[in-house]
Amino acid sequence: MKAESTKAKNKSVITLDLIELENTSTTWQEAVISSCMLLVKNHYVEQKYIQAVLKSVDELGPYIVIYPGFALPHANMEDSIWHTGVSFTRLLKPIYFPKRKDDPVNSLIAFCSDDSRSHIKILQKLAMIFRNEDLIDVLQKSRDKEVILNLITGNLEMEKT
Amino acid sequence: MKIATICGWGLGTSMILKLNIEDILKRNEIDAKVISWDAMSFKSQDADIIVAAEDFKQILEGNNSIVVLIKYITDMEEVEQKTLEGIKKFLEQDKKGDKK
């Protein structure tokens, strides 16, 4: 299956199929693979993308742990990316990355970019979410995939308490 | 003043860091250019200040730029405090003419 033939220009960056809320991974590798598999299964990236992500954590360290509890697995392997996409995986039990033994991670936001403008918009939204404790709380606790979908796509209006 | 952010691939975490720093510069009315680099190719580049996740400490050792290391790149308080410290250092060096 050639990448070109499956590129869908109107594909959404995130859908309900890309959200998993009760993942049973028990190691960081399993968790990273699970979160990236959501992108693979839904035709956003090829399988080899996962190897690139694992390799970058091995070689560069867990720089993808961007906020307490959250990791952002990603890689820039252009020839394996078909469309910009974001997946959200919440683990039932936290995992720990190497060299970050005091940093439990229970949410993974896997992200791939086809270098279009949409990836900057999504990153801006993620950056904004992490500035708001109420929104981070929603990401960590909500059991409603629709709520999480709306939050990441920026449609959720949160009233500040 | 040129500020560079680093990440493994130059498009994810370095971009989030870049967005956060641009915001901080705007709020503090500081004029600087922010660019994002990937960890593999940054050595051929030049910047006054480099802001990166702590994990990149080793590859940045011996670098001539002022290096700012961040634990959580989305933690605005941490990023703001450490980046402003780095900028202060740079401006002091610049004044003294010690800039390399």
Side-chain angles (χ1 to χ4, degrees):
Chain A
M1 201 175 6
K2 275 200 176 171
E4 307 308 320
S5 61
T6 52
K7 249 190 189 154
K9 298 219 166 136
N10 295 324
K11 211 169 157 107
S12 299
V13 172
I14 182 167
T15 64
L16 291 173
D17 290 331
L18 290 167
I19 299 173
E20 188 188 348
L21 298 183
E22 293 187 338
N23 187 279
T24 55
S25 297
T26 56
T27 65
W28 72 266
Q29 292 97 327
E30 261 187 273
V32 167
I33 292 169
S34 284
S35 66
C36 293
M37 274 309 288
L38 289 170
L39 295 170
V40 172
K41 279 185 205 166
N42 288 281
H43 310 296
Y44 286 79
V45 295
E46 287 181 33
Q47 188 102 0
K48 58 183 178 178
Y49 183 83
I50 304 181
Q51 270 68 43
V53 176
L54 291 170
K55 195 176 170 206
S56 70
V57 176
D58 265 333
E59 289 181 357
L60 301 168
Y63 69 95
I64 58 173
V65 178
I66 58 168
Y67 190 88
F70 290 86
L72 191 80
H74 63 285
N76 192 15
M77 200 188 203
E78 278 174 21
D79 63 345
S80 69
I81 297 173
W82 298 347
H83 194 279
T84 295
V86 177
S87 74
F88 183 84
T89 305
R90 194 186 298 135
L91 310 175
L92 286 174
K93 285 193 179 157
I95 52 92
Y96 296 82
F97 282 88
K99 299 178 197 171
R100 293 237 192 176
K101 300 296 178 198
D102 301 321
D103 225 338
V105 169
N106 63 6
S107 301
L108 294 101
I109 304 176
F111 162 73
C112 63
S113 165
D114 64 2
D115 215 29
S116 65
R117 300 285 311 164
S118 59
H119 91 267
I120 297 177
K121 274 195 183 162
I122 282 290
L123 286 170
Q124 279 175 329
K125 282 186 181 140
L126 289 176
M128 290 311 293
I129 291 172
F130 284 104
R131 293 182 197 179
N132 183 323
E133 283 190 24
D134 294 329
L135 299 184
I136 295 168
D137 209 49
V138 169
L139 271 190
Q140 282 193 318
K141 297 186 183 147
S142 176
R143 290 185 179 187
D144 189 335
K145 286 187 183 184
E146 289 265 7
V147 166
I148 294 193
L149 178 66
N150 287 336
L151 177 56
I152 294 177
T153 52
N155 294 327
L156 192 69
E157 298 296 328
M158 285 291 297
E159 278 175 23
K160 292 216 169 171
T161 45
Chain B
M1 182 170 32
K2 197 167 164 197
I3 302 178
T5 63
I6 293 192
C7 119
W9 299 95
L11 64 85
T13 50
S14 62
M15 177 97 38
I16 290 180
L17 200 45
K18 175 178 184 252
L19 294 169
N20 287 343
I21 292 175
E22 281 173 342
D23 216 59
I24 289 164
L25 293 174
K26 203 173 171 186
R27 276 190 283 118
N28 288 278
E29 290 175 359
I30 297 173
D31 190 24
K33 186 175 174 193
V34 189
I35 45 179
S36 53
W37 294 340
D38 70 73
M40 329 287 182
S41 63
F42 82 95
K43 285 194 173 152
S44 56
Q45 315 271 9
D46 199 27
D48 300 309
I49 302 170
I50 297 178
V51 185
E54 285 179 343
D55 310 273
F56 296 107
K57 184 176 179 190
Q58 275 187 314
I59 58 169
L60 291 170
E61 253 161 31
N63 194 290
N64 286 334
S65 317
I66 288 174
V67 173
V68 173
L69 296 171
I70 308 280
K71 182 159 190 191
Y72 297 117
I73 58 150
T74 59
D75 181 350
M76 283 302 270
E77 257 184 58
E78 185 193 353
V79 175
E80 178 151 10
Q81 188 214 329
K82 290 185 178 173
T83 304
L84 292 177
E85 262 172 35
I87 291 175
K88 192 174 168 204
K89 237 193 218 171
F90 168 73
L91 293 172
E92 280 170 0
Q93 265 185 9
D94 208 27
K95 259 192 211 163
K96 286 182 194 169
D98 286 340
K99 189 167 162 254
K100 288 179 195 168

